[in-house]
């Protein structure tokens, strides 16, 4: 019993240490040489929940054209009140089968902790109030913003050049799910995808950010 408790304590300590170091150690290690975001900068948002993060980009003529491939699946890009286009990447089973915490099931949790296929979730939003604890805004220069949009677009799986929507799943009627590139697991999940996207945009994150608080703190420290 004592041996089991000892190993459990060591495992917990190692996990805490990994998260702390993953937050404090920057990635990339050296500051990025980039032009400052000036008058032509684009503001993006990182939206944080208890265990998941999304990226929101302005819904403009540019983003409507670039992501027009999602509209046939039912994402209303022309909605008159829509101001933001929101993207999230995550585990297929947990994302699709757990729209609310009250619907939590054992199988999606097991797959989230092991290995699962991934999906992209796309939604629209009206005005998002800032500041608030769950919203962080960042100004990107033109090149960084373009790289971010490219990274997001390349995260969609394509079949013969066409994205693959997942029928029958929606949280609010305006959102849709699509097949995505990559596999999901607990160590490299939705928040590490968000971190990769932000690094593509020219921001620095922590070395490893599996949780929203870790990612949020690393962004505040390193940018």
């Amino acid at each position: 019993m004592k041996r089991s408790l000892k190993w459990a304590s060591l495992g917990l300590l190692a996990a805490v240490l990994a998260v702390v170091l993953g937050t404090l150690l920057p990635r990339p290690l050296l500051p990025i040489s980039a032009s400052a975001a000036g008058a032509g900068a684009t503001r993006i948002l990182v939206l944080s929940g208890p265990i998941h993060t999304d990226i929101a980009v302005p819904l403009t003529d540019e983003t409507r054209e670039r992501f027009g491939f999602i509209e046939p699946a039912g994402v209303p890009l022309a909605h008159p009140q829509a101001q933001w286009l929101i993207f999230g990447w995550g585990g297929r089973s947990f994302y699709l089968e757990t729209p609310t915490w009250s619907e939590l099931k054992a199988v999606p949790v097991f797959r989230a902790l092991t290995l699962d296929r991934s999906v992209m979730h796309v939604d629209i939003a009206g005005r998002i109030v800032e500041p608030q604890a769950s919203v962080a805004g960042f100004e990107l220069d033109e090149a960084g913003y373009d790289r971010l949009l490219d990274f997001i677009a390349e995260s969609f799986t394509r079949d013969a050049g066409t994205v693959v929507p997942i029928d029958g799943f929606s949280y609010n009627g305006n959102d849709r799910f699509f097949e995505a590139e990559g596999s999901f697991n607990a160590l490299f999940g939705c928040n590490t995808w968000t971190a990769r996207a932000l690094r593509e945009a020219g921001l620095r994150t922590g070395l490893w950010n599996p949780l929203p608080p870790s990612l949020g703190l690393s962004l505040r420290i390193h940018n």
Side-chain angles (χ1 to χ4, degrees), residues 96-116:
L96 299 183
E97 298 178 41
T98 316
T100 65
W101 286 109
S102 64
E103 297 171 79
L104 189 65
K105 305 179 185 70
V107 171
V109 171
F110 174 76
R111 288 179 177 168
L113 294 175
T114 52
L115 187 67
D116 197 5

Side-chain angles (χ1 to χ4, degrees), residues 70-91:
I70 64 176
E71 196 163 24
V75 181
L77 298 182
H79 194 292
Q81 295 179 320
Q83 299 181 30
W84 297 92
L85 187 55
I86 302 173
F87 298 95
W89 181 96

Side-chain angles (χ1 to χ4, degrees), residues 34-38 40-46 55-67 83-87 137-154 196-203:
S35 57
T42 300
R43 186 170 183 82
I44 67 162
L45 304 177
V46 177
I55 296 174
V57 301
L59 189 51
T60 63
D61 290 342
E62 177 189 3
T63 47
R64 285 187 178 93
E65 180 178 357
R66 184 172 292 215
F67 295 100
Q83 299 181 30
W84 297 92
L85 187 55
I86 302 173
F87 298 95
F138 300 92
E139 304 289 335
L140 303 181
D141 63 22
E142 183 178 356
Y145 183 57
D146 195 56
R147 290 193 303 269
L148 173 67
L149 298 184
D150 282 345
F151 177 87
I152 293 172
E154 291 166 4
R196 285 177 59 202
L198 298 175
R199 289 194 297 272
E200 286 291 325
L203 298 173

Side-chain angles (χ1 to χ4, degrees), residues 89-100 103-120 166 169 171 177-179 183-185:
W89 181 96
R92 180 186 180 95
S93 182
F94 197 92
Y95 232 154
L96 299 183
E97 298 178 41
T98 316
T100 65
E103 297 171 79
L104 189 65
K105 305 179 185 70
V107 171
V109 171
F110 174 76
R111 288 179 177 168
L113 294 175
T114 52
L115 187 67
D116 197 5
R117 294 163 61 189
S118 62
V119 297
M120 286 291 294
I166 301 172
F169 293 93
Y171 288 170
F177 288 91
F178 299 82
E179 300 288 357
S183 297
F184 176 95
N185 62 67

Side-chain angles (χ1 to χ4, degrees), residues 11-29 53 89 112-113 184-196 199 204-219 221-222:
L12 179 60
L13 179 62
V16 171
L17 183 61
V19 172
V20 171
L21 291 178
T23 301
L24 298 179
L25 294 177
R27 184 176 180 182
L29 185 61
T53 50
W89 181 96
L113 294 175
F184 176 95
N185 62 67
L187 296 179
F188 298 97
C190 53
N191 303 303
T192 58
W193 177 88
T194 300
R196 285 177 59 202
R199 289 194 297 272
R204 298 171 84 198
T205 71
L207 184 64
W208 179 58
N209 301 124
L211 299 170
S214 167
L215 177 58
L217 179 58
S218 76
L219 287 167
I221 292 173
H222 303 306

